[in-house]
Amino acid sequence: MAHVVLVLVETVNDYLPLLEREGFELILAPTPSSRAEAIAEHGARINAVLTRGPLGLYAEEIADMPSLLIICVIGAGYEHVDLQAASNRGVVVTNGAGANASSVADHAMALLLSLVRGIPQADAGIRRGEWNKLRQPSLAGKRMGILGLGAVGMAIAKRAANGFDMSISYHTRQERHDMHYTYCKNVIELASSVDFLIVATPGGSETRHLVDTAALYALGRNGYLINIARASVVDTQALIDALAKGKIAGAGLDVFDDEPEVPDALKLLGNVVMTPHMGGQSPEAAEGTVQMVVNNLLAFFAGQPVLTPVRLPEPQ
């Protein structure tokens, strides 16, 4: 009998045949209404769920799927997956850490280049018939700080160091001794020592508002913030205030608190470049993330350890 996978994601349909070719039965439910209907109708048969961090999977949904054995999250973040409920039921959780790292790192650098070099303003000016040669800073030789040095953070560091001769500093919960980058013991120390602060850490309660007013002021008037991680890591109102008051030079944002809603205050600011949470969206990343799901599911149902397990709390 084929294992049944409930697919909640809406961005990888072209690569779902990778799952079907391995014999998995798919139930597609990419909207809130279809999700509820699918769980109500097929909950007893569902063995696995494919979701994203922002879409999550909640305790009541887990309870309504008595045959659920494994939750596979596309991407590194799993902030809206109820890990306690999964642990209580003995459900395994995996994520896609590293599968889209190259795409996200490329996007981080694209945001940084666009922001610092004033590309959107120059393009808009030409379209208005203007010829304003903006004098914008160079990236070469600058100091980059990375908050979170996982697969994405490492990919960004590699591009910045090798491509732009930047010095790299970072902050994580624990210092890494397998690299030569400079470790900072907290976010304030990191922000105060760099020109560009890149947010690349997972979301969730442990990282909520790590970048607050104090961190932004430490970054300073000539500093730039890029967030390609989760909006919750940055205090949005503090960021808006800092941008409006010129306390930092600018921000590049790919993530927002209430996606797809974006605060009007951000839209009105000229020192912000924004994209619609597309950093991890590329054909290569989509195929890679689905293939990782396939590999995790095949390992799990073969009784082998999954490749990218998420650490769960103790059952209660």
PDB file of all heavy atoms in Angstrom, residues 56-95:
ATOM      1  N   GLY A  56       3.403  25.785   8.376  1.00  0.00           N
ATOM      2  CA  GLY A  56       3.403  25.012   9.599  1.00  0.00           C
ATOM      3  C   GLY A  56       2.499  23.792   9.590  1.00  0.00           C
ATOM      4  O   GLY A  56       1.967  23.351   8.559  1.00  0.00           O
ATOM      5  N   LEU A  57       2.307  23.235  10.783  1.00  0.00           N
ATOM      6  CA  LEU A  57       1.342  22.174  11.048  1.00  0.00           C
ATOM      7  C   LEU A  57       1.030  22.260  12.536  1.00  0.00           C
ATOM      8  O   LEU A  57       1.940  22.238  13.370  1.00  0.00           O
ATOM      9  CB  LEU A  57       1.894  20.793  10.684  1.00  0.00           C
ATOM     10  CG  LEU A  57       0.826  19.694  10.590  1.00  0.00           C
ATOM     11  CD1 LEU A  57      -0.098  19.923   9.390  1.00  0.00           C
ATOM     12  CD2 LEU A  57       1.453  18.312  10.520  1.00  0.00           C
ATOM     13  N   TYR A  58      -0.247  22.322  12.862  1.00  0.00           N
ATOM     14  CA  TYR A  58      -0.650  22.672  14.220  1.00  0.00           C
ATOM     15  C   TYR A  58      -1.120  21.442  15.002  1.00  0.00           C
ATOM     16  O   TYR A  58      -1.452  20.403  14.431  1.00  0.00           O
ATOM     17  CB  TYR A  58      -1.725  23.752  14.172  1.00  0.00           C
ATOM     18  CG  TYR A  58      -1.224  24.997  13.469  1.00  0.00           C
ATOM     19  CD1 TYR A  58      -1.536  25.236  12.123  1.00  0.00           C
ATOM     20  CD2 TYR A  58      -0.388  25.900  14.115  1.00  0.00           C
ATOM     21  CE1 TYR A  58      -1.046  26.359  11.468  1.00  0.00           C
ATOM     22  CE2 TYR A  58       0.104  27.021  13.476  1.00  0.00           C
ATOM     23  CZ  TYR A  58      -0.227  27.247  12.143  1.00  0.00           C
ATOM     24  OH  TYR A  58       0.266  28.353  11.498  1.00  0.00           O
ATOM     25  N   ALA A  59      -1.170  21.608  16.321  1.00  0.00           N
ATOM     26  CA  ALA A  59      -1.470  20.486  17.205  1.00  0.00           C
ATOM     27  C   ALA A  59      -2.799  19.833  16.874  1.00  0.00           C
ATOM     28  O   ALA A  59      -2.909  18.597  16.837  1.00  0.00           O
ATOM     29  CB  ALA A  59      -1.455  20.970  18.661  1.00  0.00           C
ATOM     30  N   GLU A  60      -3.824  20.643  16.614  1.00  0.00           N
ATOM     31  CA  GLU A  60      -5.139  20.078  16.321  1.00  0.00           C
ATOM     32  C   GLU A  60      -5.135  19.315  14.995  1.00  0.00           C
ATOM     33  O   GLU A  60      -5.854  18.330  14.825  1.00  0.00           O
ATOM     34  CB  GLU A  60      -6.207  21.171  16.309  1.00  0.00           C
ATOM     35  CG  GLU A  60      -6.001  22.283  15.298  1.00  0.00           C
ATOM     36  CD  GLU A  60      -5.147  23.429  15.815  1.00  0.00           C
ATOM     37  OE1 GLU A  60      -4.427  23.221  16.816  1.00  0.00           O
ATOM     38  OE2 GLU A  60      -5.213  24.525  15.213  1.00  0.00           O
ATOM     39  N   GLU A  61      -4.304  19.761  14.044  1.00  0.00           N
ATOM     40  CA  GLU A  61      -4.203  19.046  12.772  1.00  0.00           C
ATOM     41  C   GLU A  61      -3.481  17.715  12.961  1.00  0.00           C
ATOM     42  O   GLU A  61      -3.874  16.697  12.384  1.00  0.00           O
ATOM     43  CB  GLU A  61      -3.472  19.914  11.751  1.00  0.00           C
ATOM     44  CG  GLU A  61      -4.234  21.182  11.378  1.00  0.00           C
ATOM     45  CD  GLU A  61      -3.441  22.079  10.453  1.00  0.00           C
ATOM     46  OE1 GLU A  61      -2.228  22.267  10.683  1.00  0.00           O
ATOM     47  OE2 GLU A  61      -4.037  22.607   9.486  1.00  0.00           O
ATOM     48  N   ILE A  62      -2.423  17.739  13.754  1.00  0.00           N
ATOM     49  CA  ILE A  62      -1.705  16.495  14.051  1.00  0.00           C
ATOM     50  C   ILE A  62      -2.644  15.503  14.735  1.00  0.00           C
ATOM     51  O   ILE A  62      -2.648  14.299  14.429  1.00  0.00           O
ATOM     52  CB  ILE A  62      -0.467  16.798  14.920  1.00  0.00           C
ATOM     53  CG1 ILE A  62       0.550  17.612  14.113  1.00  0.00           C
ATOM     54  CG2 ILE A  62       0.168  15.510  15.435  1.00  0.00           C
ATOM     55  CD1 ILE A  62       1.723  18.125  14.923  1.00  0.00           C
ATOM     56  N   ALA A  63      -3.466  16.009  15.650  1.00  0.00           N
ATOM     57  CA  ALA A  63      -4.412  15.142  16.351  1.00  0.00           C
ATOM     58  C   ALA A  63      -5.437  14.529  15.408  1.00  0.00           C
ATOM     59  O   ALA A  63      -5.925  13.412  15.648  1.00  0.00           O
ATOM     60  CB  ALA A  63      -5.117  15.929  17.448  1.00  0.00           C
ATOM     61  N   ASP A  64      -5.761  15.238  14.326  1.00  0.00           N
ATOM     62  CA  ASP A  64      -6.761  14.752  13.371  1.00  0.00           C
ATOM     63  C   ASP A  64      -6.175  13.814  12.323  1.00  0.00           C
ATOM     64  O   ASP A  64      -6.896  13.376  11.417  1.00  0.00           O
ATOM     65  CB  ASP A  64      -7.430  15.943  12.672  1.00  0.00           C
ATOM     66  CG  ASP A  64      -8.372  16.709  13.590  1.00  0.00           C
ATOM     67  OD1 ASP A  64      -8.826  16.123  14.599  1.00  0.00           O
ATOM     68  OD2 ASP A  64      -8.638  17.889  13.305  1.00  0.00           O
ATOM     69  N   MET A  65      -4.880  13.499  12.444  1.00  0.00           N
ATOM     70  CA  MET A  65      -4.240  12.567  11.510  1.00  0.00           C
ATOM     71  C   MET A  65      -3.602  11.436  12.314  1.00  0.00           C
ATOM     72  O   MET A  65      -2.387  11.423  12.564  1.00  0.00           O
ATOM     73  CB  MET A  65      -3.196  13.302  10.651  1.00  0.00           C
ATOM     74  CG  MET A  65      -3.814  14.286   9.673  1.00  0.00           C
ATOM     75  SD  MET A  65      -2.617  15.118   8.588  1.00  0.00           S
ATOM     76  CE  MET A  65      -1.958  16.363   9.728  1.00  0.00           C
ATOM     77  N   PRO A  66      -4.397  10.458  12.736  1.00  0.00           N
ATOM     78  CA  PRO A  66      -3.889   9.408  13.629  1.00  0.00           C
ATOM     79  C   PRO A  66      -2.820   8.515  13.008  1.00  0.00           C
ATOM     80  O   PRO A  66      -2.072   7.855  13.741  1.00  0.00           O
ATOM     81  CB  PRO A  66      -5.153   8.599  13.963  1.00  0.00           C
ATOM     82  CG  PRO A  66      -6.114   8.893  12.854  1.00  0.00           C
ATOM     83  CD  PRO A  66      -5.834  10.308  12.458  1.00  0.00           C
ATOM     84  N   SER A  67      -2.728   8.498  11.690  1.00  0.00           N
ATOM     85  CA  SER A  67      -1.710   7.670  11.027  1.00  0.00           C
ATOM     86  C   SER A  67      -0.453   8.456  10.664  1.00  0.00           C
ATOM     87  O   SER A  67       0.458   7.920  10.026  1.00  0.00           O
ATOM     88  CB  SER A  67      -2.293   7.034   9.757  1.00  0.00           C
ATOM     89  OG  SER A  67      -3.387   6.205  10.071  1.00  0.00           O
ATOM     90  N   LEU A  68      -0.397   9.719  11.071  1.00  0.00           N
ATOM     91  CA  LEU A  68       0.752  10.564  10.730  1.00  0.00           C
ATOM     92  C   LEU A  68       2.011  10.060  11.421  1.00  0.00           C
ATOM     93  O   LEU A  68       2.022   9.836  12.633  1.00  0.00           O
ATOM     94  CB  LEU A  68       0.476  12.010  11.148  1.00  0.00           C
ATOM     95  CG  LEU A  68       1.582  13.022  10.848  1.00  0.00           C
ATOM     96  CD1 LEU A  68       1.800  13.150   9.347  1.00  0.00           C
ATOM     97  CD2 LEU A  68       1.249  14.373  11.460  1.00  0.00           C
ATOM     98  N   LEU A  69       3.085   9.922  10.638  1.00  0.00           N
ATOM     99  CA  LEU A  69       4.341   9.411  11.154  1.00  0.00           C
ATOM    100  C   LEU A  69       5.498  10.389  10.988  1.00  0.00           C
ATOM    101  O   LEU A  69       6.453  10.353  11.769  1.00  0.00           O
ATOM    102  CB  LEU A  69       4.693   8.094  10.456  1.00  0.00           C
ATOM    103  CG  LEU A  69       3.691   6.953  10.622  1.00  0.00           C
ATOM    104  CD1 LEU A  69       4.062   5.795   9.694  1.00  0.00           C
ATOM    105  CD2 LEU A  69       3.644   6.497  12.073  1.00  0.00           C
ATOM    106  N   ILE A  70       5.429  11.247   9.976  1.00  0.00           N
ATOM    107  CA  ILE A  70       6.567  12.123   9.680  1.00  0.00           C
ATOM    108  C   ILE A  70       6.075  13.420   9.044  1.00  0.00           C
ATOM    109  O   ILE A  70       5.137  13.412   8.241  1.00  0.00           O
ATOM    110  CB  ILE A  70       7.586  11.411   8.754  1.00  0.00           C
ATOM    111  CG1 ILE A  70       8.794  12.324   8.477  1.00  0.00           C
ATOM    112  CG2 ILE A  70       6.942  10.906   7.478  1.00  0.00           C
ATOM    113  CD1 ILE A  70       9.949  11.603   7.764  1.00  0.00           C
ATOM    114  N   ILE A  71       6.703  14.533   9.435  1.00  0.00           N
ATOM    115  CA  ILE A  71       6.434  15.854   8.869  1.00  0.00           C
ATOM    116  C   ILE A  71       7.714  16.318   8.197  1.00  0.00           C
ATOM    117  O   ILE A  71       8.771  16.394   8.841  1.00  0.00           O
ATOM    118  CB  ILE A  71       6.027  16.865   9.959  1.00  0.00           C
ATOM    119  CG1 ILE A  71       4.778  16.384  10.697  1.00  0.00           C
ATOM    120  CG2 ILE A  71       5.804  18.255   9.358  1.00  0.00           C
ATOM    121  CD1 ILE A  71       4.515  17.154  11.997  1.00  0.00           C
ATOM    122  N   CYS A  72       7.640  16.639   6.910  1.00  0.00           N
ATOM    123  CA  CYS A  72       8.804  17.123   6.168  1.00  0.00           C
ATOM    124  C   CYS A  72       8.602  18.598   5.836  1.00  0.00           C
ATOM    125  O   CYS A  72       7.623  18.959   5.175  1.00  0.00           O
ATOM    126  CB  CYS A  72       9.005  16.338   4.882  1.00  0.00           C
ATOM    127  SG  CYS A  72       9.388  14.587   5.149  1.00  0.00           S
ATOM    128  N   VAL A  73       9.519  19.430   6.275  1.00  0.00           N
ATOM    129  CA  VAL A  73       9.431  20.865   6.057  1.00  0.00           C
ATOM    130  C   VAL A  73      10.398  21.262   4.951  1.00  0.00           C
ATOM    131  O   VAL A  73      11.589  20.942   5.009  1.00  0.00           O
ATOM    132  CB  VAL A  73       9.764  21.649   7.343  1.00  0.00           C
ATOM    133  CG1 VAL A  73       9.577  23.146   7.119  1.00  0.00           C
ATOM    134  CG2 VAL A  73       8.892  21.173   8.495  1.00  0.00           C
ATOM    135  N   ILE A  74       9.860  21.952   3.943  1.00  0.00           N
ATOM    136  CA  ILE A  74      10.719  22.489   2.891  1.00  0.00           C
ATOM    137  C   ILE A  74      11.392  23.749   3.423  1.00  0.00           C
ATOM    138  O   ILE A  74      10.735  24.626   3.964  1.00  0.00           O
ATOM    139  CB  ILE A  74       9.896  22.803   1.634  1.00  0.00           C
ATOM    140  CG1 ILE A  74       9.608  21.501   0.884  1.00  0.00           C
ATOM    141  CG2 ILE A  74      10.621  23.780   0.730  1.00  0.00           C
ATOM    142  CD1 ILE A  74       8.904  21.696  -0.420  1.00  0.00           C
ATOM    143  N   GLY A  75      12.681  23.859   3.259  1.00  0.00           N
ATOM    144  CA  GLY A  75      13.415  24.992   3.794  1.00  0.00           C
ATOM    145  C   GLY A  75      13.916  24.702   5.196  1.00  0.00           C
ATOM    146  O   GLY A  75      13.557  23.705   5.827  1.00  0.00           O
ATOM    147  N   ALA A  76      14.732  25.615   5.701  1.00  0.00           N
ATOM    148  CA  ALA A  76      15.351  25.400   7.010  1.00  0.00           C
ATOM    149  C   ALA A  76      14.403  25.699   8.162  1.00  0.00           C
ATOM    150  O   ALA A  76      14.469  25.064   9.212  1.00  0.00           O
ATOM    151  CB  ALA A  76      16.603  26.269   7.126  1.00  0.00           C
ATOM    152  N   GLY A  77      13.508  26.689   7.984  1.00  0.00           N
ATOM    153  CA  GLY A  77      12.670  27.136   9.089  1.00  0.00           C
ATOM    154  C   GLY A  77      11.452  26.253   9.298  1.00  0.00           C
ATOM    155  O   GLY A  77      10.849  25.760   8.344  1.00  0.00           O
ATOM    156  N   TYR A  78      11.074  26.073  10.563  1.00  0.00           N
ATOM    157  CA  TYR A  78       9.904  25.247  10.903  1.00  0.00           C
ATOM    158  C   TYR A  78       9.127  25.907  12.046  1.00  0.00           C
ATOM    159  O   TYR A  78       8.556  25.242  12.899  1.00  0.00           O
ATOM    160  CB  TYR A  78      10.353  23.837  11.315  1.00  0.00           C
ATOM    161  CG  TYR A  78      11.569  23.808  12.199  1.00  0.00           C
ATOM    162  CD1 TYR A  78      11.473  23.971  13.583  1.00  0.00           C
ATOM    163  CD2 TYR A  78      12.838  23.631  11.660  1.00  0.00           C
ATOM    164  CE1 TYR A  78      12.595  23.949  14.386  1.00  0.00           C
ATOM    165  CE2 TYR A  78      13.974  23.616  12.452  1.00  0.00           C
ATOM    166  CZ  TYR A  78      13.846  23.769  13.817  1.00  0.00           C
ATOM    167  OH  TYR A  78      14.967  23.752  14.618  1.00  0.00           O
ATOM    168  N   GLU A  79       9.054  27.253  11.990  1.00  0.00           N
ATOM    169  CA  GLU A  79       8.557  28.020  13.123  1.00  0.00           C
ATOM    170  C   GLU A  79       7.096  27.782  13.472  1.00  0.00           C
ATOM    171  O   GLU A  79       6.692  27.953  14.626  1.00  0.00           O
ATOM    172  CB  GLU A  79       8.804  29.519  12.892  1.00  0.00           C
ATOM    173  CG  GLU A  79       8.089  30.121  11.693  1.00  0.00           C
ATOM    174  CD  GLU A  79       8.869  30.008  10.405  1.00  0.00           C
ATOM    175  OE1 GLU A  79       9.777  29.147  10.303  1.00  0.00           O
ATOM    176  OE2 GLU A  79       8.554  30.765   9.477  1.00  0.00           O
ATOM    177  N   HIS A  80       6.271  27.376  12.505  1.00  0.00           N
ATOM    178  CA  HIS A  80       4.855  27.158  12.795  1.00  0.00           C
ATOM    179  C   HIS A  80       4.475  25.680  12.826  1.00  0.00           C
ATOM    180  O   HIS A  80       3.289  25.343  12.780  1.00  0.00           O
ATOM    181  CB  HIS A  80       3.982  27.917  11.799  1.00  0.00           C
ATOM    182  CG  HIS A  80       4.017  29.403  11.996  1.00  0.00           C
ATOM    183  ND1 HIS A  80       3.684  30.002  13.190  1.00  0.00           N
ATOM    184  CD2 HIS A  80       4.370  30.405  11.158  1.00  0.00           C
ATOM    185  CE1 HIS A  80       3.818  31.313  13.073  1.00  0.00           C
ATOM    186  NE2 HIS A  80       4.249  31.585  11.858  1.00  0.00           N
ATOM    187  N   VAL A  81       5.471  24.824  12.911  1.00  0.00           N
ATOM    188  CA  VAL A  81       5.211  23.405  13.139  1.00  0.00           C
ATOM    189  C   VAL A  81       5.209  23.177  14.647  1.00  0.00           C
ATOM    190  O   VAL A  81       6.155  23.561  15.331  1.00  0.00           O
ATOM    191  CB  VAL A  81       6.282  22.521  12.470  1.00  0.00           C
ATOM    192  CG1 VAL A  81       6.058  21.053  12.817  1.00  0.00           C
ATOM    193  CG2 VAL A  81       6.263  22.716  10.964  1.00  0.00           C
ATOM    194  N   ASP A  82       4.154  22.576  15.164  1.00  0.00           N
ATOM    195  CA  ASP A  82       4.066  22.345  16.610  1.00  0.00           C
ATOM    196  C   ASP A  82       4.953  21.159  16.974  1.00  0.00           C
ATOM    197  O   ASP A  82       4.533  19.996  16.904  1.00  0.00           O
ATOM    198  CB  ASP A  82       2.615  22.097  17.027  1.00  0.00           C
ATOM    199  CG  ASP A  82       2.421  22.201  18.535  1.00  0.00           C
ATOM    200  OD1 ASP A  82       3.296  21.697  19.272  1.00  0.00           O
ATOM    201  OD2 ASP A  82       1.420  22.788  18.971  1.00  0.00           O
ATOM    202  N   LEU A  83       6.186  21.462  17.348  1.00  0.00           N
ATOM    203  CA  LEU A  83       7.157  20.414  17.645  1.00  0.00           C
ATOM    204  C   LEU A  83       6.775  19.631  18.893  1.00  0.00           C
ATOM    205  O   LEU A  83       7.042  18.430  18.983  1.00  0.00           O
ATOM    206  CB  LEU A  83       8.553  21.028  17.815  1.00  0.00           C
ATOM    207  CG  LEU A  83       9.113  21.773  16.605  1.00  0.00           C
ATOM    208  CD1 LEU A  83      10.542  22.245  16.899  1.00  0.00           C
ATOM    209  CD2 LEU A  83       9.091  20.913  15.342  1.00  0.00           C
ATOM    210  N   GLN A  84       6.152  20.303  19.868  1.00  0.00           N
ATOM    211  CA  GLN A  84       5.746  19.590  21.078  1.00  0.00           C
ATOM    212  C   GLN A  84       4.666  18.567  20.776  1.00  0.00           C
ATOM    213  O   GLN A  84       4.709  17.423  21.256  1.00  0.00           O
ATOM    214  CB  GLN A  84       5.236  20.587  22.124  1.00  0.00           C
ATOM    215  CG  GLN A  84       4.956  19.953  23.494  1.00  0.00           C
ATOM    216  CD  GLN A  84       6.216  19.396  24.122  1.00  0.00           C
ATOM    217  OE1 GLN A  84       7.143  20.131  24.450  1.00  0.00           O
ATOM    218  NE2 GLN A  84       6.272  18.073  24.300  1.00  0.00           N
ATOM    219  N   ALA A  85       3.695  18.968  19.957  1.00  0.00           N
ATOM    220  CA  ALA A  85       2.639  18.029  19.583  1.00  0.00           C
ATOM    221  C   ALA A  85       3.210  16.851  18.798  1.00  0.00           C
ATOM    222  O   ALA A  85       2.791  15.698  18.986  1.00  0.00           O
ATOM    223  CB  ALA A  85       1.567  18.746  18.760  1.00  0.00           C
ATOM    224  N   ALA A  86       4.161  17.133  17.917  1.00  0.00           N
ATOM    225  CA  ALA A  86       4.803  16.060  17.155  1.00  0.00           C
ATOM    226  C   ALA A  86       5.541  15.111  18.092  1.00  0.00           C
ATOM    227  O   ALA A  86       5.440  13.888  17.978  1.00  0.00           O
ATOM    228  CB  ALA A  86       5.751  16.642  16.118  1.00  0.00           C
ATOM    229  N   SER A  87       6.291  15.677  19.029  1.00  0.00           N
ATOM    230  CA  SER A  87       7.037  14.859  19.981  1.00  0.00           C
ATOM    231  C   SER A  87       6.110  14.002  20.826  1.00  0.00           C
ATOM    232  O   SER A  87       6.372  12.810  21.063  1.00  0.00           O
ATOM    233  CB  SER A  87       7.882  15.762  20.882  1.00  0.00           C
ATOM    234  OG  SER A  87       8.559  15.005  21.865  1.00  0.00           O
ATOM    235  N   ASN A  88       5.009  14.593  21.267  1.00  0.00           N
ATOM    236  CA  ASN A  88       4.059  13.851  22.102  1.00  0.00           C
ATOM    237  C   ASN A  88       3.492  12.637  21.372  1.00  0.00           C
ATOM    238  O   ASN A  88       3.172  11.623  21.998  1.00  0.00           O
ATOM    239  CB  ASN A  88       2.917  14.765  22.539  1.00  0.00           C
ATOM    240  CG  ASN A  88       3.375  15.878  23.477  1.00  0.00           C
ATOM    241  OD1 ASN A  88       4.486  15.855  23.986  1.00  0.00           O
ATOM    242  ND2 ASN A  88       2.521  16.860  23.682  1.00  0.00           N
ATOM    243  N   ARG A  89       3.353  12.763  20.068  1.00  0.00           N
ATOM    244  CA  ARG A  89       2.808  11.675  19.257  1.00  0.00           C
ATOM    245  C   ARG A  89       3.886  10.741  18.712  1.00  0.00           C
ATOM    246  O   ARG A  89       3.574   9.730  18.071  1.00  0.00           O
ATOM    247  CB  ARG A  89       2.020  12.276  18.084  1.00  0.00           C
ATOM    248  CG  ARG A  89       0.556  12.562  18.379  1.00  0.00           C
ATOM    249  CD  ARG A  89      -0.303  11.317  18.131  1.00  0.00           C
ATOM    250  NE  ARG A  89      -0.075  10.795  16.800  1.00  0.00           N
ATOM    251  CZ  ARG A  89      -0.644  11.263  15.695  1.00  0.00           C
ATOM    252  NH1 ARG A  89      -1.490  12.284  15.772  1.00  0.00           N
ATOM    253  NH2 ARG A  89      -0.380  10.733  14.519  1.00  0.00           N
ATOM    254  N   GLY A  90       5.158  11.098  18.895  1.00  0.00           N
ATOM    255  CA  GLY A  90       6.223  10.293  18.325  1.00  0.00           C
ATOM    256  C   GLY A  90       6.389  10.495  16.836  1.00  0.00           C
ATOM    257  O   GLY A  90       6.910   9.621  16.123  1.00  0.00           O
ATOM    258  N   VAL A  91       5.960  11.660  16.338  1.00  0.00           N
ATOM    259  CA  VAL A  91       6.067  11.977  14.912  1.00  0.00           C
ATOM    260  C   VAL A  91       7.439  12.585  14.630  1.00  0.00           C
ATOM    261  O   VAL A  91       7.870  13.518  15.319  1.00  0.00           O
ATOM    262  CB  VAL A  91       4.954  12.949  14.487  1.00  0.00           C
ATOM    263  CG1 VAL A  91       5.145  13.409  13.045  1.00  0.00           C
ATOM    264  CG2 VAL A  91       3.585  12.291  14.662  1.00  0.00           C
ATOM    265  N   VAL A  92       8.120  12.086  13.635  1.00  0.00           N
ATOM    266  CA  VAL A  92       9.427  12.607  13.235  1.00  0.00           C
ATOM    267  C   VAL A  92       9.239  13.880  12.417  1.00  0.00           C
ATOM    268  O   VAL A  92       8.289  13.997  11.634  1.00  0.00           O
ATOM    269  CB  VAL A  92      10.187  11.550  12.412  1.00  0.00           C
ATOM    270  CG1 VAL A  92      11.459  12.130  11.803  1.00  0.00           C
ATOM    271  CG2 VAL A  92      10.517  10.345  13.285  1.00  0.00           C
ATOM    272  N   VAL A  93      10.143  14.858  12.601  1.00  0.00           N
ATOM    273  CA  VAL A  93      10.112  16.098  11.826  1.00  0.00           C
ATOM    274  C   VAL A  93      11.463  16.266  11.139  1.00  0.00           C
ATOM    275  O   VAL A  93      12.518  16.108  11.773  1.00  0.00           O
ATOM    276  CB  VAL A  93       9.815  17.321  12.713  1.00  0.00           C
ATOM    277  CG1 VAL A  93       9.779  18.601  11.872  1.00  0.00           C
ATOM    278  CG2 VAL A  93       8.489  17.138  13.455  1.00  0.00           C
ATOM    279  N   THR A  94      11.441  16.575   9.856  1.00  0.00           N
ATOM    280  CA  THR A  94      12.672  16.885   9.120  1.00  0.00           C
ATOM    281  C   THR A  94      12.531  18.260   8.483  1.00  0.00           C
ATOM    282  O   THR A  94      11.426  18.776   8.333  1.00  0.00           O
ATOM    283  CB  THR A  94      12.947  15.857   8.007  1.00  0.00           C
ATOM    284  OG1 THR A  94      11.969  16.006   6.971  1.00  0.00           O
ATOM    285  CG2 THR A  94      12.913  14.447   8.543  1.00  0.00           C
ATOM    286  N   ASN A  95      13.666  18.860   8.133  1.00  0.00           N
ATOM    287  CA  ASN A  95      13.624  20.122   7.389  1.00  0.00           C
ATOM    288  C   ASN A  95      14.525  20.026   6.161  1.00  0.00           C
ATOM    289  O   ASN A  95      15.161  18.999   5.926  1.00  0.00           O
ATOM    290  CB  ASN A  95      13.975  21.310   8.282  1.00  0.00           C
ATOM    291  CG  ASN A  95      15.441  21.347   8.672  1.00  0.00           C
ATOM    292  OD1 ASN A  95      16.191  20.392   8.458  1.00  0.00           O
ATOM    293  ND2 ASN A  95      15.861  22.445   9.279  1.00  0.00           N
TER     294      ASN A  95
END
